[in-house]
Amino acid sequence: MDYFPVFLKLKDQPCLVVGAGEIAARKIELLARAGAKITVIAREISPTVLSLQATHNLTLLQKSFSPADLGEFRLVVSATDNTETNCLVAKTATDQNIPVNVVDNPELCSFIFPAIIDRSPIIAAVSSGGAAPVLARLLRAKIETVIPPAYGRLAGLADKFRDKVKQHIKQPAQRRIFWENVLQGSIAELVFSGKEQEAEQQLEQTLLKQKENPNLGEVYLVGAGPGAPDLLTFRALRLMQQADVVVYDRLVSPEILDLARRDAEKIYVGKQRQYHALPQESINTLLADLAKAGKRVVRLKGGDPFIFGRGGEEIETLMQQGINFQVVPGITAASGCATYSGIPLTHRDHAQSCTFVTGHLKDNSVNLNWTQLAAPNQTIVIYMGLAGLEKICQSLIAHGSPKDLPIALVQQGTTSNQRVITGTLETLPDKVAGQDIKPPTLIIIGTVVTLHDKLSWFQTRRLD
């Protein structure tokens, strides 16, 4: 082993980060997750690091680094673009036996940051922190079975070509895409089958083609599902972990966003009633511009992109501008929330059809086909209907629905914060008015709601 894996206990321990750019910000986030007390030294503090100051109680010193600054720090990270500063930090820390990491310069490091999968208390490269050593051992065994021993030879091939690739492909983002294609494509398979000479020849040819035809950007329109991270599809997860940029909306949970590649740029374009972080037309243009700049872009949308997700509008723009894209379906909120609430959307004894509607139109009105929605023997699912709940119930009653027709409101379905409030068209608005409802919410109307008590299987904070 070139490095001995050690897990340091940094909770409440003083750590120093020299530099305050975007790379430094990522290291600060990692150290903060371990509970470190972080001091940052830099002549210029980026807005990203400034935004982390209050969240992580950072100590910011706007100055040049001096050897006298090390003091009693337990660990030091240098993340500057100044070679002299990085060398000075490394030498000073080494002389004082303080573990030091100089980002992207292994020769100056006494420790490196491993690739981290954060499923606390399980961290890979694998440790349970003493909390579950048997589980850690089982997990390690599983990882060993899915990663062939030939991965070492594949790493050797990558090392052999590293300088040549860097010389031919100047842009770091394009190099990353190149290596991702090499390390999980036909070249890797040649190495795994022992045909290393053929792998080298194919890599040479691929590099020449790459120089002549650089990678073009593309957009992945990905459904993030109703909220629970483990309801993502395999394809969604794979594309999230290779994207350069993630453009996400308000309904994407932090747990799902955390599954994206750690160093991917994340852009929030969420919408809520009477407030849009970015108008839809601007989002369409943003996706196209990012792709034209050579980026691989995940457009991450709650639920399914084509069910009240405006996915069609976004890909229209991409098609008009000749940009490559693909669409990854997600579990829509109606299916996810109904299932986790124990409310079948169809049932032979209750509903022979199901209708999805949105609770407000483009002009924020609630003007639906009430006569059709009031017909019996069906289930109605209303997205984004919380603000118009009272009018929805009144309109259905006015168009022939019985006052005692069962109705349920599901808050943050499929997550640990799920709540299900049941009632009738006559009683539910008053019940909801007295509750602190946290969006997103979904409304389910029909006699299938009566099955909730019998079929409810997911533990919820239920109020009825």
mmCIF file of all heavy atoms in Angstrom, residues 248-253 268-273 275 299-300 302 384 439-440:
data_model
loop_
_atom_site.group_PDB
_atom_site.id
_atom_site.type_symbol
_atom_site.label_atom_id
_atom_site.label_comp_id
_atom_site.label_asym_id
_atom_site.label_seq_id
_atom_site.Cartn_x
_atom_site.Cartn_y
_atom_site.Cartn_z
ATOM 1 N N TYR A 248 -31.229 21.760 -10.400
ATOM 2 C CA TYR A 248 -32.252 21.053 -9.625
ATOM 3 C C TYR A 248 -33.357 21.990 -9.161
ATOM 4 O O TYR A 248 -33.179 23.207 -9.072
ATOM 5 C CB TYR A 248 -31.622 20.350 -8.420
ATOM 6 C CG TYR A 248 -31.033 21.270 -7.375
ATOM 7 C CD1 TYR A 248 -31.729 21.562 -6.196
ATOM 8 C CD2 TYR A 248 -29.781 21.855 -7.546
ATOM 9 C CE1 TYR A 248 -31.201 22.386 -5.229
ATOM 10 C CE2 TYR A 248 -29.238 22.683 -6.583
ATOM 11 C CZ TYR A 248 -29.951 22.947 -5.429
ATOM 12 O OH TYR A 248 -29.420 23.783 -4.475
ATOM 13 N N ASP A 249 -34.521 21.399 -8.854
ATOM 14 C CA ASP A 249 -35.661 22.204 -8.444
ATOM 15 C C ASP A 249 -35.969 22.021 -6.960
ATOM 16 O O ASP A 249 -35.286 21.292 -6.241
ATOM 17 C CB ASP A 249 -36.881 21.921 -9.326
ATOM 18 C CG ASP A 249 -37.427 20.505 -9.169
ATOM 19 O OD1 ASP A 249 -37.174 19.891 -8.119
ATOM 20 O OD2 ASP A 249 -38.110 20.026 -10.088
ATOM 21 N N ARG A 250 -37.017 22.678 -6.520
ATOM 22 C CA ARG A 250 -37.358 22.754 -5.096
ATOM 23 C C ARG A 250 -37.753 21.409 -4.513
ATOM 24 O O ARG A 250 -37.602 21.171 -3.307
ATOM 25 C CB ARG A 250 -38.508 23.760 -4.922
ATOM 26 C CG ARG A 250 -38.939 24.016 -3.482
ATOM 27 C CD ARG A 250 -39.964 25.126 -3.428
ATOM 28 N NE ARG A 250 -41.168 24.783 -4.145
ATOM 29 C CZ ARG A 250 -42.257 24.266 -3.590
ATOM 30 N NH1 ARG A 250 -42.261 24.011 -2.290
ATOM 31 N NH2 ARG A 250 -43.325 23.992 -4.301
ATOM 32 N N LEU A 251 -38.263 20.501 -5.342
ATOM 33 C CA LEU A 251 -38.780 19.241 -4.838
ATOM 34 C C LEU A 251 -37.716 18.161 -4.714
ATOM 35 O O LEU A 251 -38.019 17.046 -4.309
ATOM 36 C CB LEU A 251 -39.907 18.745 -5.756
ATOM 37 C CG LEU A 251 -41.107 19.690 -5.893
ATOM 38 C CD1 LEU A 251 -42.155 19.078 -6.797
ATOM 39 C CD2 LEU A 251 -41.695 20.021 -4.532
ATOM 40 N N VAL A 252 -36.465 18.479 -5.045
ATOM 41 C CA VAL A 252 -35.378 17.505 -4.925
ATOM 42 C C VAL A 252 -34.809 17.573 -3.507
ATOM 43 O O VAL A 252 -34.329 18.623 -3.071
ATOM 44 C CB VAL A 252 -34.271 17.783 -5.958
ATOM 45 C CG1 VAL A 252 -33.111 16.808 -5.768
ATOM 46 C CG2 VAL A 252 -34.836 17.666 -7.375
ATOM 47 N N SER A 253 -34.851 16.475 -2.793
ATOM 48 C CA SER A 253 -34.421 16.477 -1.397
ATOM 49 C C SER A 253 -32.902 16.587 -1.292
ATOM 50 O O SER A 253 -32.174 16.177 -2.200
ATOM 51 C CB SER A 253 -34.881 15.187 -0.702
ATOM 52 O OG SER A 253 -34.195 14.067 -1.226
ATOM 53 N N TYR A 268 -29.491 25.945 -8.383
ATOM 54 C CA TYR A 268 -30.881 25.853 -7.925
ATOM 55 C C TYR A 268 -31.778 26.717 -8.804
ATOM 56 O O TYR A 268 -31.515 27.899 -9.011
ATOM 57 C CB TYR A 268 -30.980 26.312 -6.469
ATOM 58 C CG TYR A 268 -32.401 26.379 -5.958
ATOM 59 C CD1 TYR A 268 -33.125 25.213 -5.728
ATOM 60 C CD2 TYR A 268 -33.023 27.603 -5.702
ATOM 61 C CE1 TYR A 268 -34.427 25.262 -5.260
ATOM 62 C CE2 TYR A 268 -34.315 27.663 -5.228
ATOM 63 C CZ TYR A 268 -35.016 26.493 -5.007
ATOM 64 O OH TYR A 268 -36.303 26.543 -4.543
ATOM 65 N N VAL A 269 -32.827 26.116 -9.343
ATOM 66 C CA VAL A 269 -33.770 26.854 -10.179
ATOM 67 C C VAL A 269 -35.200 26.576 -9.713
ATOM 68 O O VAL A 269 -36.134 26.521 -10.513
ATOM 69 C CB VAL A 269 -33.610 26.486 -11.669
ATOM 70 C CG1 VAL A 269 -32.262 26.933 -12.202
ATOM 71 C CG2 VAL A 269 -33.788 24.975 -11.888
ATOM 72 N N GLY A 270 -35.379 26.399 -8.417
ATOM 73 C CA GLY A 270 -36.662 25.977 -7.872
ATOM 74 C C GLY A 270 -37.758 26.997 -8.060
ATOM 75 O O GLY A 270 -37.523 28.196 -8.189
ATOM 76 N N LYS A 271 -38.984 26.473 -8.053
ATOM 77 C CA LYS A 271 -40.169 27.320 -8.175
ATOM 78 C C LYS A 271 -41.098 27.015 -7.004
ATOM 79 O O LYS A 271 -41.229 25.884 -6.571
ATOM 80 C CB LYS A 271 -40.920 27.054 -9.480
ATOM 81 C CG LYS A 271 -40.098 27.188 -10.746
ATOM 82 C CD LYS A 271 -40.977 26.957 -11.955
ATOM 83 C CE LYS A 271 -40.161 26.930 -13.226
ATOM 84 N NZ LYS A 271 -39.394 25.682 -13.370
ATOM 85 N N GLN A 272 -41.735 28.041 -6.507
ATOM 86 C CA GLN A 272 -42.819 27.867 -5.569
ATOM 87 C C GLN A 272 -43.849 28.938 -5.856
ATOM 88 O O GLN A 272 -43.608 29.849 -6.644
ATOM 89 C CB GLN A 272 -42.340 27.949 -4.118
ATOM 90 C CG GLN A 272 -41.655 29.254 -3.733
ATOM 91 C CD GLN A 272 -40.999 29.147 -2.378
ATOM 92 O OE1 GLN A 272 -40.248 28.227 -2.108
ATOM 93 N NE2 GLN A 272 -41.287 30.097 -1.521
ATOM 94 N N ARG A 273 -44.993 28.817 -5.251
ATOM 95 C CA ARG A 273 -46.116 29.701 -5.579
ATOM 96 C C ARG A 273 -45.690 31.172 -5.492
ATOM 97 O O ARG A 273 -45.192 31.627 -4.473
ATOM 98 C CB ARG A 273 -47.288 29.412 -4.636
ATOM 99 C CG ARG A 273 -48.583 30.124 -5.037
ATOM 100 C CD ARG A 273 -49.706 29.696 -4.104
ATOM 101 N NE ARG A 273 -50.942 30.370 -4.433
ATOM 102 C CZ ARG A 273 -51.808 29.941 -5.328
ATOM 103 N NH1 ARG A 273 -51.545 28.834 -5.974
ATOM 104 N NH2 ARG A 273 -52.919 30.601 -5.553
ATOM 105 N N TYR A 275 -43.256 32.686 -6.606
ATOM 106 C CA TYR A 275 -41.816 32.981 -6.599
ATOM 107 C C TYR A 275 -41.082 31.933 -7.408
ATOM 108 O O TYR A 275 -41.183 30.744 -7.132
ATOM 109 C CB TYR A 275 -41.251 32.993 -5.173
ATOM 110 C CG TYR A 275 -39.747 33.129 -5.176
ATOM 111 C CD1 TYR A 275 -39.142 34.343 -5.442
ATOM 112 C CD2 TYR A 275 -38.935 32.011 -4.952
ATOM 113 C CE1 TYR A 275 -37.756 34.467 -5.484
ATOM 114 C CE2 TYR A 275 -37.554 32.120 -4.988
ATOM 115 C CZ TYR A 275 -36.981 33.353 -5.248
ATOM 116 O OH TYR A 275 -35.612 33.461 -5.301
ATOM 117 N N ARG A 299 -30.527 17.656 -15.426
ATOM 118 C CA ARG A 299 -31.664 18.481 -15.002
ATOM 119 C C ARG A 299 -32.495 17.608 -14.083
ATOM 120 O O ARG A 299 -33.215 16.704 -14.515
ATOM 121 C CB ARG A 299 -32.463 18.942 -16.217
ATOM 122 C CG ARG A 299 -33.776 19.672 -15.857
ATOM 123 C CD ARG A 299 -33.493 20.978 -15.131
ATOM 124 N NE ARG A 299 -34.732 21.742 -14.980
ATOM 125 C CZ ARG A 299 -35.337 21.938 -13.813
ATOM 126 N NH1 ARG A 299 -34.822 21.409 -12.701
ATOM 127 N NH2 ARG A 299 -36.428 22.662 -13.741
ATOM 128 N N LEU A 300 -32.369 17.823 -12.782
ATOM 129 C CA LEU A 300 -32.953 16.949 -11.768
ATOM 130 C C LEU A 300 -34.294 17.523 -11.329
ATOM 131 O O LEU A 300 -34.365 18.636 -10.797
ATOM 132 C CB LEU A 300 -31.983 16.839 -10.585
ATOM 133 C CG LEU A 300 -32.153 15.680 -9.623
ATOM 134 C CD1 LEU A 300 -32.101 14.342 -10.338
ATOM 135 C CD2 LEU A 300 -31.068 15.738 -8.545
ATOM 136 N N GLY A 302 -38.167 16.780 -9.404
ATOM 137 C CA GLY A 302 -38.930 15.928 -8.517
ATOM 138 C C GLY A 302 -39.953 15.107 -9.287
ATOM 139 O O GLY A 302 -40.527 15.568 -10.288
ATOM 140 N N MET A 384 -49.881 19.948 -6.407
ATOM 141 C CA MET A 384 -49.783 21.383 -6.124
ATOM 142 C C MET A 384 -51.143 21.995 -5.790
ATOM 143 O O MET A 384 -51.490 23.080 -6.252
ATOM 144 C CB MET A 384 -49.151 22.115 -7.319
ATOM 145 C CG MET A 384 -47.734 21.641 -7.630
ATOM 146 S SD MET A 384 -47.078 22.265 -9.196
ATOM 147 C CE MET A 384 -47.961 21.219 -10.372
ATOM 148 N N PRO A 439 -44.662 21.561 2.477
ATOM 149 C CA PRO A 439 -44.682 21.037 1.109
ATOM 150 C C PRO A 439 -43.427 20.233 0.821
ATOM 151 O O PRO A 439 -42.431 20.368 1.540
ATOM 152 C CB PRO A 439 -44.730 22.325 0.265
ATOM 153 C CG PRO A 439 -44.128 23.382 1.133
ATOM 154 C CD PRO A 439 -44.496 23.011 2.544
ATOM 155 N N PRO A 440 -43.466 19.363 -0.215
ATOM 156 C CA PRO A 440 -44.560 19.204 -1.174
ATOM 157 C C PRO A 440 -45.699 18.351 -0.628
ATOM 158 O O PRO A 440 -45.499 17.509 0.243
ATOM 159 C CB PRO A 440 -43.873 18.514 -2.344
ATOM 160 C CG PRO A 440 -42.784 17.713 -1.708
ATOM 161 C CD PRO A 440 -42.277 18.552 -0.575
#
